[in-house]
Amino acid sequence: MAEINLDWPNIGFAYRETPVRFVSDFVDGKWDEGRFSTDSNVTINESAGVLQYAQTCFEGLKAYRTEKGDIVCFRPDLNAARMAESCKRLCMPVFPVDRFIKAVVETVKRNADYVPPYGSGATLYVRPYMFATSPVLGVKPAVNYQFRIFVSPVGPYFKGGAKPVSIMVSDFDRAAPHGTGHVKAGLNYAMSLFAIEHAHELGFNENMYLDAATRTYVEETGGANFIFVTKDGKIVTPKSGTILPSITRRSLIYVAQNILKMDAEERPIPFEEVKTFAEAGLCGTAAVISPVGRVTYEGGVINFPSGMEKMGPVLQKLYDTLTGIQMGRIEGPEGWIVKVC
Ligand SMILES: *Cc1c(COP(=O)(O)O)cnc(C)c1O
């Protein structure tokens, strides 16, 4: 059991400082051996690449307390691989996959008291990230970088937990057609904040982005992918080169096809088709699966009656299976669960 006693069901999704973080520096063309630090502040040069040209990217995964009391992580190898892709796209050095996984495990272990208890509804969010530390003025990649991992206990991403989320479709685009939409980086988030704030002001929880090139296909929200269920019970999720390849979404498709023996496909989804779906949800590490109750767009409103009070039955089955694997109630596919301690 966790020694730290917080009001777990009500902690919300917010930064909460924990004792230990991992820090490694890229200097002279290589990563140092790394260290664990109790200092939560970062001191960098005023002209550091991250401050001037936004050379930074991040990852997000969770550590879970299982039914048996173990602490585990979910598929950290995929976060390591995705971060490597983000780094390459932003001209940053890759932090090796094996070292990434080891550093995640060690950082979680050193903050084990902050992993919320099984069944509390809270989990430990793990945030690996990298940024350019050395000064730049001309537009070019920096020379030195820092890779860090901190952890923070979190509750559900959306207030009210499994309550339906209402979404608006605005004129804002999340990413340029051939830009960095597939990269998990602050630059995309910075560009999405205005749309999210706009949606909040109008009383919606989130904004649905359409593809910037034609504005006809469903993309994603600021921080989660979409997953839909057709009237005949098939799972569908958008395929696009300009959305973030969600590990949750990929895992859900695998679970649907291989464990629940359901039909599941990834394909372009015209916005026109959304009104024909039986269920809609947002998926991601933070959102897990959050049901969408309503989508409001210029031409009208789409309601998902199945998800107005809670999650629809098909998404609920997917949710129960995925979280069952993460919390150790269900045996997952090989390699999905990495034991911390
Ligand atoms: C992190 C993220 C997601 C969710 O990905 P997961 O790997 O499932 O956590 C979706 N969209 C964006 C833009 C993201 O940054």
Side-chain angles (χ1 to χ4, degrees), residues 213-251:
T214 70
R215 299 195 56 83
T216 47
Y217 292 95
V218 176
E219 292 265 88
E220 59 172 333
T221 63
N225 284 182
F226 280 100
I227 184 161
F228 300 104
V229 181
T230 64
K231 288 228 164 69
D232 53 2
K234 195 188 225 175
I235 313 284
V236 287
T237 181
K239 185 183 179 71
S240 161
T242 45
I243 65 175
L244 204 279
S246 158
I247 293 163
T248 312
R249 185 244 296 164
R250 286 181 270 162
S251 302

mmCIF file of all heavy atoms in Angstrom, residues 213-251:
data_model
loop_
_atom_site.group_PDB
_atom_site.id
_atom_site.type_symbol
_atom_site.label_atom_id
_atom_site.label_comp_id
_atom_site.label_asym_id
_atom_site.label_seq_id
_atom_site.Cartn_x
_atom_site.Cartn_y
_atom_site.Cartn_z
ATOM 1 N N ALA A 213 -6.021 19.659 -44.404
ATOM 2 C CA ALA A 213 -5.931 19.768 -45.863
ATOM 3 C C ALA A 213 -7.309 19.880 -46.505
ATOM 4 O O ALA A 213 -7.505 20.685 -47.411
ATOM 5 C CB ALA A 213 -5.181 18.562 -46.437
ATOM 6 N N THR A 214 -8.281 19.099 -46.035
ATOM 7 C CA THR A 214 -9.596 19.090 -46.700
ATOM 8 C C THR A 214 -10.753 19.380 -45.742
ATOM 9 O O THR A 214 -11.877 19.602 -46.184
ATOM 10 C CB THR A 214 -9.868 17.715 -47.350
ATOM 11 O OG1 THR A 214 -10.092 16.739 -46.312
ATOM 12 C CG2 THR A 214 -8.693 17.268 -48.214
ATOM 13 N N ARG A 215 -10.497 19.359 -44.451
ATOM 14 C CA ARG A 215 -11.523 19.565 -43.425
ATOM 15 C C ARG A 215 -12.744 18.673 -43.636
ATOM 16 O O ARG A 215 -13.881 19.091 -43.463
ATOM 17 C CB ARG A 215 -11.924 21.049 -43.334
ATOM 18 C CG ARG A 215 -10.743 21.950 -42.940
ATOM 19 C CD ARG A 215 -11.165 23.336 -42.499
ATOM 20 N NE ARG A 215 -12.106 23.298 -41.404
ATOM 21 C CZ ARG A 215 -11.761 23.169 -40.123
ATOM 22 N NH1 ARG A 215 -10.503 23.069 -39.780
ATOM 23 N NH2 ARG A 215 -12.688 23.133 -39.196
ATOM 24 N N THR A 216 -12.469 17.425 -44.002
ATOM 25 C CA THR A 216 -13.575 16.482 -44.170
ATOM 26 C C THR A 216 -13.418 15.240 -43.298
ATOM 27 O O THR A 216 -14.381 14.518 -43.058
ATOM 28 C CB THR A 216 -13.712 16.020 -45.636
ATOM 29 O OG1 THR A 216 -12.415 15.664 -46.118
ATOM 30 C CG2 THR A 216 -14.308 17.095 -46.518
ATOM 31 N N TYR A 217 -12.202 14.958 -42.823
ATOM 32 C CA TYR A 217 -11.967 13.742 -42.043
ATOM 33 C C TYR A 217 -11.713 14.051 -40.569
ATOM 34 O O TYR A 217 -11.150 15.101 -40.228
ATOM 35 C CB TYR A 217 -10.770 12.966 -42.610
ATOM 36 C CG TYR A 217 -11.061 12.391 -43.966
ATOM 37 C CD1 TYR A 217 -10.693 13.082 -45.116
ATOM 38 C CD2 TYR A 217 -11.737 11.178 -44.098
ATOM 39 C CE1 TYR A 217 -10.980 12.572 -46.380
ATOM 40 C CE2 TYR A 217 -12.032 10.657 -45.348
ATOM 41 C CZ TYR A 217 -11.648 11.360 -46.486
ATOM 42 O OH TYR A 217 -11.941 10.851 -47.718
ATOM 43 N N VAL A 218 -12.114 13.110 -39.718
ATOM 44 C CA VAL A 218 -11.895 13.253 -38.279
ATOM 45 C C VAL A 218 -10.414 13.026 -37.983
ATOM 46 O O VAL A 218 -9.825 12.033 -38.437
ATOM 47 C CB VAL A 218 -12.726 12.212 -37.484
ATOM 48 C CG1 VAL A 218 -12.408 12.305 -35.988
ATOM 49 C CG2 VAL A 218 -14.210 12.414 -37.745
ATOM 50 N N GLU A 219 -9.814 13.933 -37.216
ATOM 51 C CA GLU A 219 -8.432 13.727 -36.777
ATOM 52 C C GLU A 219 -8.429 13.283 -35.317
ATOM 53 O O GLU A 219 -8.620 12.113 -35.018
ATOM 54 C CB GLU A 219 -7.617 15.010 -36.974
ATOM 55 C CG GLU A 219 -7.409 15.362 -38.437
ATOM 56 C CD GLU A 219 -6.093 14.864 -39.000
ATOM 57 O OE1 GLU A 219 -6.053 13.724 -39.480
ATOM 58 O OE2 GLU A 219 -5.111 15.625 -38.978
ATOM 59 N N GLU A 220 -8.250 14.205 -34.377
ATOM 60 C CA GLU A 220 -8.225 13.840 -32.962
ATOM 61 C C GLU A 220 -8.564 15.069 -32.141
ATOM 62 O O GLU A 220 -8.939 16.109 -32.682
ATOM 63 C CB GLU A 220 -6.864 13.258 -32.582
ATOM 64 C CG GLU A 220 -5.688 14.205 -32.818
ATOM 65 C CD GLU A 220 -4.375 13.674 -32.250
ATOM 66 O OE1 GLU A 220 -4.378 12.895 -31.279
ATOM 67 O OE2 GLU A 220 -3.326 14.063 -32.784
ATOM 68 N N THR A 221 -8.437 14.991 -30.817
ATOM 69 C CA THR A 221 -8.558 16.193 -29.988
ATOM 70 C C THR A 221 -7.135 16.647 -29.661
ATOM 71 O O THR A 221 -6.165 16.091 -30.172
ATOM 72 C CB THR A 221 -9.333 15.915 -28.682
ATOM 73 O OG1 THR A 221 -8.612 14.964 -27.907
ATOM 74 C CG2 THR A 221 -10.735 15.405 -28.971
ATOM 75 N N GLY A 222 -6.997 17.612 -28.781
ATOM 76 C CA GLY A 222 -5.677 18.130 -28.451
ATOM 77 C C GLY A 222 -4.755 17.060 -27.882
ATOM 78 O O GLY A 222 -3.551 17.070 -28.134
ATOM 79 N N GLY A 223 -5.302 16.141 -27.117
ATOM 80 C CA GLY A 223 -4.442 15.162 -26.452
ATOM 81 C C GLY A 223 -4.958 13.739 -26.444
ATOM 82 O O GLY A 223 -4.477 12.910 -25.668
ATOM 83 N N ALA A 224 -5.928 13.408 -27.298
ATOM 84 C CA ALA A 224 -6.452 12.036 -27.325
ATOM 85 C C ALA A 224 -6.962 11.696 -28.720
ATOM 86 O O ALA A 224 -7.411 12.576 -29.460
ATOM 87 C CB ALA A 224 -7.576 11.866 -26.298
ATOM 88 N N ASN A 225 -6.892 10.436 -29.080
ATOM 89 C CA ASN A 225 -7.433 9.944 -30.353
ATOM 90 C C ASN A 225 -8.922 9.601 -30.178
ATOM 91 O O ASN A 225 -9.392 9.424 -29.054
ATOM 92 C CB ASN A 225 -6.699 8.660 -30.797
ATOM 93 C CG ASN A 225 -5.306 8.900 -31.382
ATOM 94 O OD1 ASN A 225 -4.651 7.958 -31.802
ATOM 95 N ND2 ASN A 225 -4.831 10.145 -31.416
ATOM 96 N N PHE A 226 -9.618 9.468 -31.290
ATOM 97 C CA PHE A 226 -11.022 9.040 -31.255
ATOM 98 C C PHE A 226 -11.139 7.548 -31.498
ATOM 99 O O PHE A 226 -10.339 6.950 -32.232
ATOM 100 C CB PHE A 226 -11.843 9.760 -32.344
ATOM 101 C CG PHE A 226 -12.246 11.152 -31.951
ATOM 102 C CD1 PHE A 226 -11.551 12.249 -32.421
ATOM 103 C CD2 PHE A 226 -13.315 11.348 -31.086
ATOM 104 C CE1 PHE A 226 -11.913 13.534 -32.055
ATOM 105 C CE2 PHE A 226 -13.686 12.636 -30.707
ATOM 106 C CZ PHE A 226 -12.984 13.727 -31.192
ATOM 107 N N ILE A 227 -12.148 6.958 -30.868
ATOM 108 C CA ILE A 227 -12.518 5.575 -31.162
ATOM 109 C C ILE A 227 -14.047 5.540 -31.241
ATOM 110 O O ILE A 227 -14.730 6.129 -30.408
ATOM 111 C CB ILE A 227 -11.920 4.615 -30.105
ATOM 112 C CG1 ILE A 227 -12.223 3.169 -30.452
ATOM 113 C CG2 ILE A 227 -12.355 4.952 -28.689
ATOM 114 C CD1 ILE A 227 -11.294 2.183 -29.744
ATOM 115 N N PHE A 228 -14.562 4.904 -32.287
ATOM 116 C CA PHE A 228 -16.016 4.868 -32.513
ATOM 117 C C PHE A 228 -16.495 3.426 -32.604
ATOM 118 O O PHE A 228 -15.728 2.512 -32.917
ATOM 119 C CB PHE A 228 -16.369 5.577 -33.831
ATOM 120 C CG PHE A 228 -15.965 7.024 -33.889
ATOM 121 C CD1 PHE A 228 -14.850 7.427 -34.629
ATOM 122 C CD2 PHE A 228 -16.701 7.994 -33.214
ATOM 123 C CE1 PHE A 228 -14.476 8.759 -34.704
ATOM 124 C CE2 PHE A 228 -16.329 9.346 -33.286
ATOM 125 C CZ PHE A 228 -15.220 9.718 -34.030
ATOM 126 N N VAL A 229 -17.794 3.255 -32.370
ATOM 127 C CA VAL A 229 -18.423 1.947 -32.560
ATOM 128 C C VAL A 229 -19.575 2.142 -33.537
ATOM 129 O O VAL A 229 -20.418 3.030 -33.339
ATOM 130 C CB VAL A 229 -18.959 1.377 -31.226
ATOM 131 C CG1 VAL A 229 -19.577 0.002 -31.435
ATOM 132 C CG2 VAL A 229 -17.851 1.330 -30.175
ATOM 133 N N THR A 230 -19.597 1.335 -34.601
ATOM 134 C CA THR A 230 -20.678 1.461 -35.590
ATOM 135 C C THR A 230 -21.954 0.807 -35.039
ATOM 136 O O THR A 230 -21.907 0.086 -34.042
ATOM 137 C CB THR A 230 -20.305 0.766 -36.925
ATOM 138 O OG1 THR A 230 -20.155 -0.643 -36.668
ATOM 139 C CG2 THR A 230 -19.000 1.313 -37.494
ATOM 140 N N LYS A 231 -23.070 1.050 -35.721
ATOM 141 C CA LYS A 231 -24.350 0.493 -35.246
ATOM 142 C C LYS A 231 -24.320 -1.034 -35.241
ATOM 143 O O LYS A 231 -25.030 -1.661 -34.452
ATOM 144 C CB LYS A 231 -25.501 1.009 -36.125
ATOM 145 C CG LYS A 231 -25.792 2.490 -35.871
ATOM 146 C CD LYS A 231 -27.265 2.775 -35.663
ATOM 147 C CE LYS A 231 -27.492 4.143 -35.037
ATOM 148 N NZ LYS A 231 -27.162 5.280 -35.973
ATOM 149 N N ASP A 232 -23.506 -1.630 -36.133
ATOM 150 C CA ASP A 232 -23.429 -3.100 -36.098
ATOM 151 C C ASP A 232 -22.242 -3.611 -35.254
ATOM 152 O O ASP A 232 -21.792 -4.746 -35.415
ATOM 153 C CB ASP A 232 -23.446 -3.711 -37.505
ATOM 154 C CG ASP A 232 -22.393 -3.101 -38.409
ATOM 155 O OD1 ASP A 232 -21.619 -2.236 -37.934
ATOM 156 O OD2 ASP A 232 -22.333 -3.485 -39.592
ATOM 157 N N GLY A 233 -21.770 -2.763 -34.352
ATOM 158 C CA GLY A 233 -20.839 -3.238 -33.331
ATOM 159 C C GLY A 233 -19.380 -3.324 -33.732
ATOM 160 O O GLY A 233 -18.560 -3.931 -33.047
ATOM 161 N N LYS A 234 -19.033 -2.685 -34.855
ATOM 162 C CA LYS A 234 -17.637 -2.705 -35.303
ATOM 163 C C LYS A 234 -16.881 -1.504 -34.715
ATOM 164 O O LYS A 234 -17.424 -0.399 -34.658
ATOM 165 C CB LYS A 234 -17.652 -2.618 -36.825
ATOM 166 C CG LYS A 234 -16.363 -2.962 -37.512
ATOM 167 C CD LYS A 234 -16.495 -2.643 -38.993
ATOM 168 C CE LYS A 234 -15.935 -3.755 -39.857
ATOM 169 N NZ LYS A 234 -16.150 -3.531 -41.287
ATOM 170 N N ILE A 235 -15.625 -1.740 -34.314
ATOM 171 C CA ILE A 235 -14.791 -0.648 -33.806
ATOM 172 C C ILE A 235 -14.100 0.034 -34.990
ATOM 173 O O ILE A 235 -13.499 -0.643 -35.817
ATOM 174 C CB ILE A 235 -13.662 -1.185 -32.884
ATOM 175 C CG1 ILE A 235 -14.196 -2.181 -31.854
ATOM 176 C CG2 ILE A 235 -12.852 -0.059 -32.267
ATOM 177 C CD1 ILE A 235 -14.917 -1.570 -30.730
ATOM 178 N N VAL A 236 -14.168 1.362 -35.043
ATOM 179 C CA VAL A 236 -13.413 2.084 -36.072
ATOM 180 C C VAL A 236 -12.674 3.257 -35.446
ATOM 181 O O VAL A 236 -13.151 3.878 -34.494
ATOM 182 C CB VAL A 236 -14.291 2.598 -37.239
ATOM 183 C CG1 VAL A 236 -14.743 1.462 -38.132
ATOM 184 C CG2 VAL A 236 -15.472 3.385 -36.729
ATOM 185 N N THR A 237 -11.495 3.540 -35.972
ATOM 186 C CA THR A 237 -10.667 4.630 -35.438
ATOM 187 C C THR A 237 -9.939 5.293 -36.601
ATOM 188 O O THR A 237 -9.565 4.628 -37.568
ATOM 189 C CB THR A 237 -9.714 4.076 -34.347
ATOM 190 O OG1 THR A 237 -8.940 5.144 -33.818
ATOM 191 C CG2 THR A 237 -8.785 3.023 -34.880
ATOM 192 N N PRO A 238 -9.793 6.628 -36.553
ATOM 193 C CA PRO A 238 -9.213 7.336 -37.701
ATOM 194 C C PRO A 238 -7.785 6.904 -38.027
ATOM 195 O O PRO A 238 -6.965 6.707 -37.126
ATOM 196 C CB PRO A 238 -9.219 8.801 -37.258
ATOM 197 C CG PRO A 238 -10.273 8.880 -36.213
ATOM 198 C CD PRO A 238 -10.234 7.566 -35.507
ATOM 199 N N LYS A 239 -7.524 6.778 -39.315
ATOM 200 C CA LYS A 239 -6.173 6.565 -39.803
ATOM 201 C C LYS A 239 -5.742 7.874 -40.445
ATOM 202 O O LYS A 239 -6.447 8.398 -41.317
ATOM 203 C CB LYS A 239 -6.176 5.443 -40.846
ATOM 204 C CG LYS A 239 -4.807 5.034 -41.349
ATOM 205 C CD LYS A 239 -4.980 3.963 -42.434
ATOM 206 C CE LYS A 239 -3.662 3.506 -43.004
ATOM 207 N NZ LYS A 239 -2.889 2.710 -42.050
ATOM 208 N N SER A 240 -4.623 8.425 -39.989
ATOM 209 C CA SER A 240 -4.157 9.698 -40.519
ATOM 210 C C SER A 240 -2.685 9.858 -40.186
ATOM 211 O O SER A 240 -2.236 9.457 -39.117
ATOM 212 C CB SER A 240 -4.957 10.847 -39.888
ATOM 213 O OG SER A 240 -4.256 12.069 -40.046
ATOM 214 N N GLY A 241 -1.954 10.449 -41.097
ATOM 215 C CA GLY A 241 -0.530 10.691 -40.862
ATOM 216 C C GLY A 241 -0.267 11.933 -40.036
ATOM 217 O O GLY A 241 0.875 12.223 -39.685
ATOM 218 N N THR A 242 -1.342 12.676 -39.725
ATOM 219 C CA THR A 242 -1.139 13.926 -38.996
ATOM 220 C C THR A 242 -1.755 13.886 -37.598
ATOM 221 O O THR A 242 -2.006 14.925 -36.997
ATOM 222 C CB THR A 242 -1.697 15.123 -39.795
ATOM 223 O OG1 THR A 242 -2.988 14.783 -40.303
ATOM 224 C CG2 THR A 242 -0.784 15.463 -40.955
ATOM 225 N N ILE A 243 -2.037 12.659 -37.085
ATOM 226 C CA ILE A 243 -2.440 12.538 -35.685
ATOM 227 C C ILE A 243 -1.370 11.763 -34.937
ATOM 228 O O ILE A 243 -0.538 11.080 -35.537
ATOM 229 C CB ILE A 243 -3.822 11.871 -35.501
ATOM 230 C CG1 ILE A 243 -3.812 10.416 -35.971
ATOM 231 C CG2 ILE A 243 -4.897 12.675 -36.212
ATOM 232 C CD1 ILE A 243 -5.123 9.675 -35.686
ATOM 233 N N LEU A 244 -1.406 11.882 -33.624
ATOM 234 C CA LEU A 244 -0.422 11.196 -32.783
ATOM 235 C C LEU A 244 -0.775 9.708 -32.736
ATOM 236 O O LEU A 244 -1.920 9.368 -32.452
ATOM 237 C CB LEU A 244 -0.485 11.830 -31.397
ATOM 238 C CG LEU A 244 0.709 11.778 -30.454
ATOM 239 C CD1 LEU A 244 0.797 10.440 -29.738
ATOM 240 C CD2 LEU A 244 2.020 12.065 -31.149
ATOM 241 N N PRO A 245 0.184 8.853 -33.035
ATOM 242 C CA PRO A 245 -0.107 7.409 -32.963
ATOM 243 C C PRO A 245 -0.251 6.946 -31.510
ATOM 244 O O PRO A 245 0.721 6.546 -30.868
ATOM 245 C CB PRO A 245 1.090 6.753 -33.661
ATOM 246 C CG PRO A 245 2.167 7.772 -33.675
ATOM 247 C CD PRO A 245 1.539 9.127 -33.526
ATOM 248 N N SER A 246 -1.472 7.010 -31.003
ATOM 249 C CA SER A 246 -1.759 6.696 -29.602
ATOM 250 C C SER A 246 -1.477 5.225 -29.288
ATOM 251 O O SER A 246 -1.947 4.328 -29.988
ATOM 252 C CB SER A 246 -3.231 7.016 -29.315
ATOM 253 O OG SER A 246 -3.693 6.307 -28.186
ATOM 254 N N ILE A 247 -0.741 5.004 -28.219
ATOM 255 C CA ILE A 247 -0.444 3.638 -27.773
ATOM 256 C C ILE A 247 -1.717 3.004 -27.215
ATOM 257 O O ILE A 247 -1.970 1.813 -27.401
ATOM 258 C CB ILE A 247 0.691 3.668 -26.740
ATOM 259 C CG1 ILE A 247 1.991 4.125 -27.425
ATOM 260 C CG2 ILE A 247 0.877 2.296 -26.074
ATOM 261 C CD1 ILE A 247 3.083 4.590 -26.473
ATOM 262 N N THR A 248 -2.546 3.809 -26.561
ATOM 263 C CA THR A 248 -3.826 3.311 -26.052
ATOM 264 C C THR A 248 -4.695 2.831 -27.208
ATOM 265 O O THR A 248 -5.267 1.742 -27.155
ATOM 266 C CB THR A 248 -4.553 4.430 -25.282
ATOM 267 O OG1 THR A 248 -3.638 5.038 -24.376
ATOM 268 C CG2 THR A 248 -5.760 3.891 -24.525
ATOM 269 N N ARG A 249 -4.779 3.645 -28.247
ATOM 270 C CA ARG A 249 -5.607 3.284 -29.410
ATOM 271 C C ARG A 249 -5.104 1.999 -30.061
ATOM 272 O O ARG A 249 -5.877 1.085 -30.334
ATOM 273 C CB ARG A 249 -5.595 4.433 -30.420
ATOM 274 C CG ARG A 249 -6.518 4.234 -31.603
ATOM 275 C CD ARG A 249 -5.754 4.145 -32.901
ATOM 276 N NE ARG A 249 -5.053 5.381 -33.205
ATOM 277 C CZ ARG A 249 -4.076 5.461 -34.102
ATOM 278 N NH1 ARG A 249 -3.671 4.383 -34.757
ATOM 279 N NH2 ARG A 249 -3.476 6.610 -34.322
ATOM 280 N N ARG A 250 -3.777 1.912 -30.246
ATOM 281 C CA ARG A 250 -3.222 0.703 -30.864
ATOM 282 C C ARG A 250 -3.484 -0.512 -29.990
ATOM 283 O O ARG A 250 -3.785 -1.601 -30.479
ATOM 284 C CB ARG A 250 -1.719 0.892 -31.116
ATOM 285 C CG ARG A 250 -1.434 1.837 -32.289
ATOM 286 C CD ARG A 250 0.057 1.974 -32.529
ATOM 287 N NE ARG A 250 0.635 3.064 -31.758
ATOM 288 C CZ ARG A 250 1.943 3.206 -31.506
ATOM 289 N NH1 ARG A 250 2.805 2.312 -31.949
ATOM 290 N NH2 ARG A 250 2.389 4.242 -30.818
ATOM 291 N N SER A 251 -3.394 -0.332 -28.667
ATOM 292 C CA SER A 251 -3.639 -1.449 -27.751
ATOM 293 C C SER A 251 -5.109 -1.862 -27.782
ATOM 294 O O SER A 251 -5.430 -3.054 -27.733
ATOM 295 C CB SER A 251 -3.225 -1.062 -26.328
ATOM 296 O OG SER A 251 -1.858 -0.685 -26.301
#
